[in-house]
Amino acid sequence: MALTLDTSSPRPTGPTRRRRRPWVWVGNVVVAVLAVMLLHALLANPNFQWDVVGHYFFSGSILQGLVKTLLLTALSMVIGVVLGTVLAVMRRADTPIVSGFAALYIWFFRGTPLLVQLIFWYNLSSLYTSLSLGVPFGPSLWSASTNSLISPFTAALLGLGLNQAAYTAEIVRAGMLSVPPGQLDAAASLGMPGGMTMRRVILPQAMRVIIPPIGNETIGMLKTTSLVSVLAMPELLYSAQLIYARTYETMPLLIVASIWYLLVTSVLTLVQGEIERRFARGTGDTRGGGIGGLVRRFTRVHAERPAAAVAMEEAGAR
Amino acid sequence: MTGSTTVTPMVHADNVWKSFGHLDVLKGISLDVLPGEVVCLLGSSGSGKTTFLRCINHLERISGGEILVDGQRIGYREQKGTLVELPERETARRRAETAMVFQQFNLFPHRTVLENLVEAPILVKREPRAEATQRALGMLARVGLSDKAGAYPNQLSGGQQQRVAIARALTMRPKLMLFDEPTSALDPELVGEVLEVMRDLARGGMTMVVVTHEMSFARDVADRVVVMDDGVIVESGPPEQVFHHPEHARTRAFLAKVG
């Protein structure tokens, strides 16, 4: 039998059709039904008092509490990241006293409950009635009573920030360890001193590993700030508690607080995705994480542009 | 190479020892490299050739002996007969005159090719950005990668990355270039383009110390071939002599292994 190759046969054109997957549809239906049931249970039950939720959602004391929560989250994360980076760099030091101090700090602040640390800072005046700046073991140049310095807000900031620094230090250290040692060799061979190498070579590359967990920690911090309600500091949760202690509308006010926490978390997730995208330069992965990355994954706008094309455009733009 | 006694050697190594813990990796290496000379260091893995290369620009501290680059110690100064380690900044400044090219390229992955090239001239040598960019583009043209200035390293082939790494090393106007197995991590078909750039440098009179397994490169380009084994130099001489009339059994054994 003669074998002939028919090279002229027209190839099918048009889009390819995906294989049918009936079980996916069954799964979709089950999940949809469960979702409707859940929604019904939430909305149809009058005990949730959605009208009360609506009434307090934008009330003055709740919004003031929200602002305090955001402020505490932002400031404690700034303290945590700055101090944590310093601790992580200290941990790498050649001298055992410096790296040992950093290790001791991390050991202590990770090893005691945050709640204890918060109460400790708040009651610092029982240990030291006044705080002063001056020559060590010598004369003091400036002094003030502890009670006037440590307000509920400063106690909360100290507690949250110093504790966060211990966790951030470990994240930053892991990030720096993720940079291959060859990068240090390359920087050194080009005559870059240590500090410059850290700023220009190590930290920018470590960022890619550091950002996702720091974003995670920020979202965690948003909710951890509710712990400072024990210091009678009216952040979001304590503001809600103050209202329901008076009106006994416990559930609706906890819902008010929870919806705000959820809203802020969503915004933070979007921001995190954008930052991740920026630090993914040179890795070919420009999708980023978080909700933004999720949306891009679904729409496939960025995924279909080759990384090389993106880079050339960026280079051209500059 | 006239062998004139008035020439300061570019590298002067005298009885260099290096140990990691109890393990002696270098056991008294003495070697002079003259300006403009291309020296290839050969030897089986573990013979200490890469360690010796890293000692030349003080990426590794030596345990004994001394190394001078262009008449200067890189990591130390002499004070009343003992060697005192220099401050980091001073070491960095002296090291900048010695360029190094690595087996794994070690380009900065978060910066474009052009940014990789201008980083050190701008930050370390304080060159104006425009001038550094101009020179960097010239270097890229020299290694044949003018069209890749805006690309990130991971968008390049291994051979292209290594050529960028060589261009980056050149932007520091080095007096001496150290190559640490520059083609060992490359696919065979990409080795040629990197060796071509190195040949070009050698023709241009660059002083080069090259750790390599590329016997043909050593044969064609090297002025001198140095064979190391177990932390000592077993044989040294012009390539034709070492390859065709090796004097030592250990050299013959090594050459037999690499074919």
Side-chain angles (χ1 to χ4, degrees):
Chain A
M1 201 175 102
L3 201 71
T4 53
L5 274 176
D6 183 7
T7 53
S8 65
S9 85
R11 262 185 294 173
T13 54
T16 52
R17 201 180 62 195
R18 293 175 78 180
R19 164 173 65 84
R20 285 180 210 283
R21 294 176 296 175
W23 285 106
V24 172
W25 286 104
V26 174
N28 284 348
V29 168
V30 169
V31 171
V33 168
L34 284 176
V36 169
M37 283 168 67
L38 189 65
L39 208 62
H40 180 259
L42 276 174
L43 298 179
N45 185 345
N47 293 336
F48 275 106
Q49 295 175 276
W50 288 104
D51 54 324
V52 180
V53 171
H55 178 255
Y56 284 111
F57 197 69
F58 291 110
S59 77
S61 58
I62 290 289
L63 291 184
Q64 277 168 16
L66 176 66
V67 169
K68 282 225 173 63
T69 288
L70 292 178
L71 199 64
L72 263 183
T73 305
L75 290 179
S76 350
M77 281 315 289
V78 168
I79 295 176
V81 168
V82 171
L83 194 58
T85 308
V86 171
L87 284 167
V89 173
M90 283 171 71
R91 199 89 164 70
R92 280 169 70 105
D94 291 331
T95 45
I97 287 192
V98 173
S99 67
F101 175 82
L104 196 71
Y105 181 101
I106 293 166
W107 168 78
F108 181 81
F109 281 91
R110 284 203 308 183
T112 52
L114 176 56
L115 194 54
V116 172
Q117 290 171 32
L118 285 168
I119 299 172
F120 173 88
W121 289 115
Y122 191 53
N123 293 297
L124 192 64
S125 62
S126 68
L127 291 176
Y128 303 97
T129 49
S130 72
L131 300 175
S132 53
L133 281 177
V135 185
F137 304 106
S140 106
L141 303 173
W142 174 90
S143 172
S145 88
T146 307
N147 270 331
S148 68
L149 282 176
I150 305 285
S151 67
F153 188 78
T154 43
L157 213 52
L158 277 172
L160 295 172
L162 297 186
N163 183 262
Q164 185 58 45
Y167 286 91
T168 314
E170 289 297 280
I171 293 172
V172 175
R173 192 168 71 95
M176 293 195 296
L177 285 178
S178 76
V179 180
Q183 293 286 311
L184 287 173
D185 287 345
S189 76
L190 289 166
M192 294 169 78
M196 189 188 287
T197 305
M198 185 59 78
R199 281 193 315 278
R200 303 287 303 183
V201 179
I202 309 282
L203 285 179
Q205 293 184 62
M207 277 304 199
R208 201 173 127 66
V209 175
I210 292 172
I211 292 286
I214 293 278
N216 221 17
E217 294 282 310
T218 309
I219 288 166
M221 176 63 83
L222 176 74
K223 286 154 297 162
T224 305
T225 53
S226 63
L227 271 186
V228 309
S229 58
V230 298
L231 309 183
M233 153 104 186
E235 41 66 63
L236 182 53
L237 180 66
Y238 194 59
S239 304
Q241 286 174 329
L242 283 177
I243 297 172
Y244 73 64
R246 201 174 63 233
T247 65
Y248 296 102
E249 292 158 324
T250 310
M251 279 309 190
L253 276 147
L254 288 181
I255 290 171
V256 167
S258 298
I259 293 177
W260 275 118
Y261 283 122
L262 279 171
L263 279 175
V264 178
T265 302
S266 312
V267 173
L268 289 178
T269 310
L270 277 174
V271 172
Q272 181 189 351
E274 283 313 304
I275 298 177
E276 273 176 37
R277 232 154 70 77
R278 186 159 313 171
F279 280 101
R281 273 185 316 181
T283 62
D285 182 4
T286 49
R287 290 168 306 185
I291 291 177
L294 208 62
V295 170
R296 272 185 291 278
R297 257 160 250 240
F298 270 112
T299 53
R300 309 211 169 189
V301 175
H302 284 264
E304 284 184 0
R305 287 166 69 203
V310 177
M312 290 317 284
E313 279 169 33
E314 280 171 3
R318 254 181 279 123
Chain B
M1 291 339 95
T2 56
S4 150
T5 49
T6 54
V7 178
T8 311
M10 189 55 82
V11 178
H12 170 73
D14 185 23
N15 194 25
V16 172
W17 283 74
K18 170 69 188 174
S19 17
F20 293 106
H22 294 295
L23 182 70
D24 291 327
V25 182
L26 301 179
K27 304 168 185 173
I29 301 281
S30 297
L31 176 72
D32 278 356
V33 180
L34 299 175
E37 203 179 9
V38 176
V39 172
C40 280
L41 292 179
L42 308 180
S44 44
S45 65
S47 60
K49 50 198 193 316
T50 289
T51 303
F52 176 61
L53 201 69
R54 291 170 63 84
C55 285
I56 294 178
N57 69 346
H58 195 56
L59 283 182
E60 302 285 354
R61 288 186 175 88
I62 57 176
S63 315
E66 73 169 359
I67 299 182
L68 302 183
V69 174
D70 201 18
Q72 245 192 348
R73 288 185 183 81
I74 281 197
Y76 305 88
R77 71 191 151 79
E78 197 174 340
Q79 194 175 39
K80 292 173 195 154
T82 51
L83 293 185
V84 181
E85 193 165 15
L86 281 172
E88 195 198 359
R89 233 161 227 294
E90 184 58 21
T91 300
R93 199 182 60 74
R94 295 188 185 182
R95 204 187 254 148
E97 297 173 344
T98 307
M100 191 161 192
V101 174
F102 302 88
Q103 184 177 356
Q104 298 296 338
F105 330 133
N106 295 349
L107 293 174
F108 303 135
H110 58 305
R111 305 210 184 274
T112 62
V113 166
L114 186 60
E115 287 167 349
N116 263 279
L117 264 62
V118 299
E119 180 84 357
I122 290 175
L123 288 171
V124 177
K125 292 207 156 178
R126 310 227 167 264
E127 257 183 60
R129 178 171 289 273
E131 189 190 320
T133 306
Q134 206 56 44
R135 281 201 318 118
L137 291 174
M139 294 301 171
L140 277 182
R142 188 166 169 192
V143 300
L145 290 170
S146 292
D147 54 329
K148 299 293 185 190
Y152 282 97
N154 79 331
Q155 295 161 350
L156 306 179
S157 72
Q160 290 172 331
Q161 288 190 49
Q162 194 61 297
R163 281 146 70 197
V164 171
I166 293 172
R168 179 175 72 173
L170 286 172
T171 58
M172 295 302 281
R173 305 181 203 267
K175 297 189 235 175
L176 163 71
M177 286 187 83
L178 307 173
F179 292 83
D180 184 12
E181 304 196 22
T183 57
S184 297
L186 297 176
D187 291 338
E189 75 269 23
L190 302 176
V191 168
E193 59 187 78
V194 172
L195 292 183
E196 192 42 55
V197 170
M198 290 170 63
R199 278 198 179 87
D200 180 51
L201 283 175
R203 275 195 294 268
M206 177 64 74
T207 314
M208 294 159 68
V209 181
V210 184
V211 171
T212 187
H213 295 295
E214 292 295 325
M215 293 304 141
S216 62
F217 179 82
R219 209 174 323 226
D220 300 348
V221 183
D223 297 305
R224 194 145 48 100
V225 167
V226 173
V227 181
M228 285 178 69
D229 188 43
D230 197 25
V232 294
I233 293 177
V234 287
E235 188 153 356
S236 162
E240 57 271 22
Q241 181 199 317
V242 173
F243 284 121
H244 299 300
H245 313 286
E247 289 176 4
H248 291 265
R250 282 197 277 183
T251 310
R252 280 194 289 273
F254 169 70
L255 289 175
K257 254 192 297 178
V258 296

